[in-house]
Amino acid sequence: MKIALAQINPTVGDFRGNLEKIIAASRRAAAQGARLTVFSELVICGYPPADFLEKASFLARCRSAVDELAAATAELSTAILAGVALPAEPATGKPAVNAAVLLDRGRLLLEQHKRLLPFYDVFDEQRYFSPARQQQVVELDGVRLAITICEDAWNDKHFWHRRLYSVDPMEELMRQNPSLHINLSSSPFWHGKRAIRREMLAAIARRDNIPVLMCNQVGGNDSLIFDGSSLAISAQGELIAQAASFAEDLVVFNPFDAPPLNFHDPSAQENDTEAAYQALVLATRDYVRKCGFTKVLIALSGGIDSALVAAIAKDALGAENVLAIGMPSPYSSAGSIDDSKRLAANLGIRFELIGISGLFSEYTRALSSLFEGLKPDTTEENIQSRIRGTLMMALSNKFSALVLTTGNKSEMAVGYCTLYGDMVGALAVIGDLVKTRVYAVCHWLNREREVIPHAILEKPPSAELRPDQKDTDSLPPYEVLDPILEAYVERYESPERIAADHGFPLELVQQVVRLVERSEYKRQQAAPVLKVTSKSFGMGRRFPIAVKVEV
């Protein structure tokens, strides 16, 4: 039996567009001889639909979309396995079920519900879905299929040291003697995730002695990035099919008679630096386009963060759709302006200058009577940033272009950013990259030619909001700060453990932790952050604002 993994990029709520993609991919698969075409979790309605699942009209549209798909593919020689949300039984107390439907020549052969509903990090499926009561193997042309949905395959007691659920749906399915395991996934990307998935599925295949197939969603939806990387594993645990990462793809193969791939360099797929860049390009493109825009604006400071965001935007949307704005203040160096011009030339994007010195003078003059006798401080620094934010939003309104913010994870963590200033914008493109990773990605970009000017890579980081300002005036060096932040923010390690593991003074670690805790109010007003690590700021990290934390 030839099977196709159809890895497509759906949009939440775009039933017509999603069905068009599903039907087109099914036709291509049928033309290549596939008897079954597999799509990802909730592909028909898009993932994650969140509170749309509370709307009866949305779930009714899901049900009608299944009927439309069955009718549109009734003449095809390939069966279709696709994910969709459907109404739950009223007695369950939940609005929906997370389902996989198997359609063959216009008939519904199976409606399988998801059993394990994740409720950690970015997932909140127990809020919406009723779990499956049972799992049922289904036959297609005599081949017995065990169908699971994403998390249902993530609870193997032989693979995980700590399991989140007391049951493993595959144990129930294996008692029904399936010959093939198919998993529909919408598994978000973060660094290292692709290797974990591959190893886990290989372990399941070897344990159950049947091939395992996984079709994963690809694309960006708000903060989440789905890498695709759909794959098939033989009963011996060998990789026999692999779809692209960060792109739509269709792969056709026979899981029972496919030789192992010549996977010559497994580590190449796990290059976190390259993967992070590809993920951010994909997610930026999808965020802008799925929100109905085509153009973006970036405030270029001459620093490394805005340089990286500009490079990502250019690759995501094309140079003609990126407008970069330099807004020098009295403290901006001539080198920063020149560096911004050089970057724009390297990228082929339009660059314009709007000086803000006069506006800054007007602000300070207007406030002079109220500020009389008070020394200049961060107030005056933030005024410059907020002038820039106002100008960027004016350009956004006038040209119908989204503003991309340029702050990194290190800055967001410790509050080294200005509300309604440099935080203004629609999307925090690099908000999940600590500063040292920003440098790593920029060096990777320059591996063949100069994209990021060397002067930008070599200059000490500075906000340039006062004379001779450097980031290290207010923060530890990023080589010290970033390991502390990664341990505290991403792994929830204690200050004592961080200090002991890294050899840092405990007082320094505690100082950083205090900065993190008191900056929560800023982060909860920030633009959505594109997630590329296991724990990013946003929906997957939930802390109250009004607290008193003892460090």
Side-chain angles (χ1 to χ4, degrees):
M1 175 186 287
K2 280 189 175 182
I3 295 179
L5 298 180
Q7 179 176 289
I8 70 170
N9 185 347
T11 300
V12 173
D14 183 13
F15 290 94
R16 179 177 298 177
N18 295 343
L19 285 177
E20 287 176 354
K21 284 177 175 280
I22 294 168
I23 294 166
S26 299
R27 288 173 177 161
R28 292 197 305 272
Q32 295 181 47
R35 180 64 182 95
L36 173 64
T37 305
V38 182
F39 294 87
S40 59
E41 176 185 17
L42 296 186
V43 67
I44 292 173
C45 59
Y47 182 94
D51 276 11
F52 278 118
L53 295 168
E54 303 275 8
K55 294 178 177 286
S57 59
F58 184 86
L59 295 173
R61 184 67 184 91
C62 287
R63 177 64 77 182
S64 66
V66 173
D67 295 337
E68 291 174 30
L69 179 59
T73 58
E75 302 302 317
L76 295 182
S77 57
T78 183
I80 294 158
L81 180 61
V84 66
L86 294 172
E89 294 292 333
T92 66
K94 302 292 184 179
V97 291
N98 187 334
V101 292
L102 179 61
L103 306 172
D104 187 27
R105 296 182 172 91
R107 296 180 299 113
L108 176 66
L109 298 187
L110 177 73
E111 180 184 310
Q112 177 64 65
H113 300 169
K114 187 175 183 178
R115 184 166 184 177
L116 304 184
L117 304 174
F119 55 94
Y120 54 86
D121 192 48
V122 299
F123 305 108
D124 203 6
E125 293 197 21
Q126 292 186 14
R127 175 185 176 99
Y128 309 107
F129 294 121
S130 173
R133 295 175 182 171
Q134 62 181 11
Q135 260 77 25
Q136 181 181 346
V137 165
V138 62
E139 282 197 11
L140 181 68
D141 294 354
V143 178
R144 296 179 61 79
L145 308 177
I147 297 167
T148 61
I149 303 175
C150 205
E151 191 86 351
D152 288 346
W154 286 72
N155 204 40
D156 178 7
K157 62 188 175 185
H158 301 291
F159 186 83
W160 300 105
H161 297 298
R162 175 177 172 267
R163 298 201 304 164
L164 297 180
Y165 313 90
S166 60
V167 297
D168 181 352
M170 273 308 295
E171 291 181 350
E172 178 179 339
L173 286 166
M174 285 305 298
R175 288 194 287 270
Q176 300 174 49
N177 299 314
S179 50
L180 185 64
H181 176 185
I182 303 177
N183 181 263
L184 285 63
S185 281
S186 285
S187 177
F189 167 81
W190 58 77
H191 61 77
K193 182 80 170 288
R194 292 176 296 176
I196 292 173
R197 276 200 223 109
R198 191 169 60 242
E199 293 164 6
M200 179 195 70
L201 295 174
I204 292 173
R206 288 191 295 267
R207 179 198 69 185
D208 297 335
N209 196 33
I210 60 173
V212 176
L213 283 55
M214 181 206 70
C215 188
N216 191 34
Q217 178 172 308
V218 69
N221 280 321
D222 294 352
S223 294
L224 298 184
I225 306 170
F226 300 91
D227 56 283
S229 311
S230 302
L231 50 79
I233 305 287
S234 72
Q236 293 74 41
E238 298 171 317
L239 187 68
I240 56 175
Q242 174 76 64
S245 293
F246 309 111
E248 292 187 320
D249 201 4
L250 179 76
V251 291
V252 180
F253 56 94
N254 184 339
F256 303 104
D257 188 28
L261 290 180
N262 182 19
F263 205 52
H264 58 280
D265 186 10
S267 63
Q269 193 181 135
E270 307 312 325
N271 183 327
D272 284 344
T273 302
E274 178 179 0
Y277 188 80
Q278 292 176 341
L280 295 175
V281 167
L282 170 66
T284 300
R285 180 188 303 121
D286 278 352
Y287 186 89
V288 173
R289 292 181 178 174
K290 290 180 180 181
C291 288
F293 291 82
T294 58
K295 298 181 181 297
V296 294
L297 298 161
I298 300 163
L300 277 192
S301 66
I304 193 166
D305 297 320
S306 61
L308 177 56
V309 173
I312 291 168
K314 178 259 183 181
D315 284 348
L317 302 163
E320 69 279 7
N321 292 313
V322 181
L323 173 57
I325 306 295
M327 292 172 283
S329 77
Y331 308 112
S332 299
S333 66
S336 291
I337 298 171
D338 292 340
D339 293 341
S340 295
K341 291 179 178 178
R342 178 71 176 273
L343 171 73
N346 288 353
L347 296 175
I349 62 176
R350 180 182 170 191
F351 177 64
E352 300 290 345
L353 281 174
I354 305 175
I356 69 165
S357 295
L359 290 169
F360 180 51
S361 296
E362 287 297 312
Y363 270 77
T364 54
R365 185 184 63 78
L367 293 165
S368 59
S369 61
L370 289 171
F371 287 1
E372 187 176 359
L374 300 175
K375 294 181 179 180
D377 55 17
T378 55
T379 304
E380 285 74 16
E381 296 179 24
N382 290 340
I383 286 173
Q384 298 167 67
S385 183
R386 289 179 177 131
I387 290 171
R388 290 169 174 148
T390 299
L391 293 174
M392 292 300 291
M393 290 311 300
L395 294 168
S396 174
N397 290 157
K398 186 63 68 176
F399 299 122
S400 296
L402 292 182
V403 176
L404 303 182
T405 70
T406 60
N408 60 62
K409 191 173 190 174
S410 304
E411 295 170 346
M412 291 185 69
V414 298
Y416 195 62
C417 47
T418 304
L419 271 176
Y420 325 120
D422 59 315
M423 293 178 68
V424 159
L427 183 67
V429 175
I430 59 170
D432 202 22
L433 294 182
V434 293
K435 189 78 165 190
T436 48
R437 288 201 76 200
V438 170
Y439 276 99
V441 174
C442 287
H443 282 293
W444 174 82
L445 266 179
N446 281 11
R447 67 197 182 281
E448 296 178 354
R449 66 178 182 89
E450 182 192 81
V451 178
I452 310 298
H454 295 301
I456 291 178
L457 291 168
E458 293 166 1
K459 72 173 70 173
S462 171
E464 292 193 333
L465 297 173
R466 64 173 184 266
D468 301 319
Q469 184 181 27
K470 293 181 176 59
D471 288 6
T472 49
D473 297 340
S474 305
L475 302 173
Y478 288 109
E479 292 75 14
V480 174
L481 178 64
D482 288 351
I484 297 173
L485 294 175
E486 289 175 323
Y488 186 71
V489 172
E490 297 178 17
R491 299 190 294 275
Y492 293 160
E493 294 178 6
S494 69
E496 291 76 14
R497 178 177 173 182
I498 296 169
D501 287 351
H502 295 275
F504 299 145
L506 178 58
E507 183 179 348
L508 173 64
V509 178
Q510 291 173 330
Q511 176 188 352
V512 171
V513 168
R514 281 191 288 269
L515 290 173
V516 173
E517 295 299 341
R518 77 182 191 189
S519 300
E520 186 63 30
Y521 77 102
K522 288 187 177 183
R523 290 190 291 271
Q524 292 200 26
Q525 298 182 68
V529 174
L530 295 181
K531 176 181 170 66
V532 293
T533 70
S534 60
K535 186 67 66 175
S536 65
F537 294 125
M539 60 189 295
R541 188 180 184 276
R542 308 174 193 182
F543 285 89
I545 295 172
V547 297
K548 185 176 181 180
V549 180
E550 295 182 2
V551 178

